[in-house]
Amino acid sequence: MTLISDNPSFVLQKMNKVSFEERPIPELSSPKDIRIEIKQTGICGSDVHYYTHGAIGCFIVKSPMVLGHKSAGVVAEVGSGVTCLKVGDRVALEPGIPCRYCAHCKAGYYNLCADMKFAATPPYDGALCRYYVLPEDFCVKLPDTVSLEEGALVEPLSVAVHVSKLAKITPGPSVIVFGAGPVGILCSAVAKAFGATTVTAVDLVQTRLDLAKEVAATHSFVPTKGDSAAESAAKIKELLGGKAPQFAIDASGAAASVNTAIHALAQGGTYLQAGMGAPEITFPITEFTVKELTAHGSFRYGPGDYQLAVELVASGKVDVKKLITHRVKFEDAEEAFKLVVKGQGVKVLIGGPSPSV
């Protein structure tokens, strides 16, 4: 395949300032590397946070950085050692490359690698560009039935897959998910795909709950302003016919949601934290202890999560297309970010650069 000799990129210069830059076409540094021509990229909350705040915790934008990490594209070049992919294949990009050598990597928990090189996380560039390079084993081939748009949503779906795997959701239980943003809705969808018979979505915004029910949720709940966590939990139990859920997933990061989840869970239940909020919150430790609950954090995704996410889409068990509300051309990328900042849309996709860009 003949490569176009330019690599236009969407770059965050500093807080609230972005621009298009011509960047060098990235080289293959290993025989196992693949160069991908990016075709679709979804905007993530972390991208927006860097755009509006210039930092997330200790990750601070100190120099210009290409944004974007939820991407899919077409293989443009392969290294001499690549065996599973070829030029022209369509792939979803898993955007975090671990060191492969630390204890976490060797134990199979590479998402916990302290030396992770994650796209669009300072100081590493992201994938809102024409060309991006990844190792072969971090590119998942898309079946013919899965579009590049769907491929760009494999990243948040993999987060949800990781959550359900950590929770060990098996067929039969009741699951409650707090937060009906993209990740929360996908957590509901994956829990249902894993066999949950009842999936309750909780949010303050009715339109989000409507979408959650369209995608996967069997029940929805809007907390009443002024209710305590215990009062909200009692209403949730009443909604579910007097039965408390066995699994609770928080995808909001809100302290009120965390507290309500602990109160809502059944004895011996499992709690998963997927959303990030305030660094510290007040936690109902007594309720947690006397119920003998299990709590688990969840961070990004691990071995097999991306492949399973693709299979869930290909099988029709999870319909990620319903989350797409806006499609924007590459040259209008800044407008796409402004849409998300205003809270408009669920998932906004940015197309790859056209030959004329």
Side-chain angles (χ1 to χ4, degrees):
M1 180 180 290
T2 301
L3 294 178
I4 299 170
S5 61
D6 59 350
N7 188 33
S9 305
F10 186 64
V11 181
L12 176 63
Q13 299 292 341
K14 60 181 181 179
M15 186 172 65
N16 290 318
K17 184 179 180 181
V18 291
S19 65
F20 291 98
E21 281 187 13
E22 181 58 45
R23 292 290 185 96
I25 295 175
E27 300 290 335
L28 306 186
S29 58
S30 162
K32 287 289 189 179
D33 278 351
I34 290 176
R35 182 185 290 115
I36 306 105
E37 184 173 355
I38 303 299
K39 296 297 185 181
Q40 294 289 338
T41 299
I43 297 179
C44 177
S46 65
D47 293 318
V48 174
H49 204 82
Y50 284 124
Y51 172 61
T52 56
H53 293 81
I56 297 178
C58 62
F59 297 104
I60 302 169
V61 179
K62 297 179 180 179
S63 60
M65 179 184 75
V66 179
L67 290 166
H69 64 268
K70 302 179 185 299
S71 299
V74 178
V75 175
E77 184 178 353
V78 299
S80 60
V82 172
T83 58
C84 296
L85 293 168
K86 64 183 185 302
V87 171
D89 283 343
R90 300 172 315 115
V91 295
L93 283 65
E94 184 172 346
I97 309 303
C99 75
R100 302 181 188 266
Y101 299 107
C102 68
H104 289 306
C105 285
K106 286 184 175 293
Y109 304 107
Y110 65 75
N111 58 310
L112 302 181
C113 176
D115 293 322
M116 174 77 74
K117 297 179 180 178
F118 200 86
T121 298
Y124 305 107
D125 285 325
L128 267 171
C129 53
R130 192 188 304 283
Y131 294 115
Y132 194 78
V133 169
L134 277 177
E136 174 184 23
D137 55 329
F138 283 84
C139 298
V140 179
K141 186 176 179 180
L142 298 175
D144 292 341
T145 55
V146 177
S147 69
L148 286 164
E149 288 189 342
E150 291 169 309
L153 296 183
V154 168
E155 196 272 351
L157 181 57
S158 295
V159 172
V161 166
H162 194 61
V163 166
S164 285
K165 286 171 66 174
L166 287 172
K168 299 180 181 178
I169 295 174
T170 54
S174 174
V175 178
I176 186 166
V177 180
F178 291 81
V183 170
I185 291 174
L186 292 174
C187 282
S188 294
V190 175
K192 193 171 185 179
F194 274 35
T197 54
T198 302
V199 179
T200 304
V202 181
D203 203 285
L204 295 172
V205 181
Q206 185 61 50
T207 53
R208 290 184 174 187
L209 293 176
D210 292 341
L211 180 58
K213 291 191 74 172
E214 184 180 347
V215 174
T218 60
H219 297 70
S220 64
F221 178 76
V222 180
T224 301
K225 185 177 180 180
D227 276 1
S228 67
E231 289 169 335
S232 290
K235 290 180 179 179
I236 289 169
K237 187 175 179 180
E238 182 181 359
L239 173 70
L240 298 176
K243 296 181 180 179
Q246 290 87 35
F247 295 89
I249 299 166
D250 177 63
S252 73
S257 294
V258 175
N259 279 264
T260 302
I262 298 303
H263 281 276
L265 273 169
Q267 299 283 123
T270 300
Y271 174 80
L272 262 290
Q273 186 64 45
M276 291 188 180
E280 296 181 6
I281 64 169
T282 300
F283 186 82
I285 193 69
T286 300
E287 185 79 4
F288 177 81
T289 301
V290 299
K291 283 184 175 179
E292 205 167 281
L293 302 179
T294 298
H296 212 305
S298 182
F299 187 55
R300 292 174 179 160
Y301 21 74
D305 294 339
Y306 246 71
Q307 184 62 54
L308 179 53
V310 170
E311 291 169 4
L312 288 174
V313 175
S315 66
K317 292 182 178 179
V318 176
D319 186 357
V320 295
K321 297 189 299 296
K322 290 182 178 179
L323 272 67
I324 302 171
T325 52
H326 296 79
R327 296 169 173 85
V328 178
K329 294 180 179 179
F330 182 78
E331 53 266 36
D332 297 324
E334 184 173 6
E335 296 307 311
F337 271 78
K338 290 179 179 179
L339 275 173
V340 179
V341 170
K342 293 176 183 176
Q344 298 178 3
V346 180
K347 269 301 171 188
V348 178
L349 294 186
I350 300 173
S354 63
S356 60
V357 173

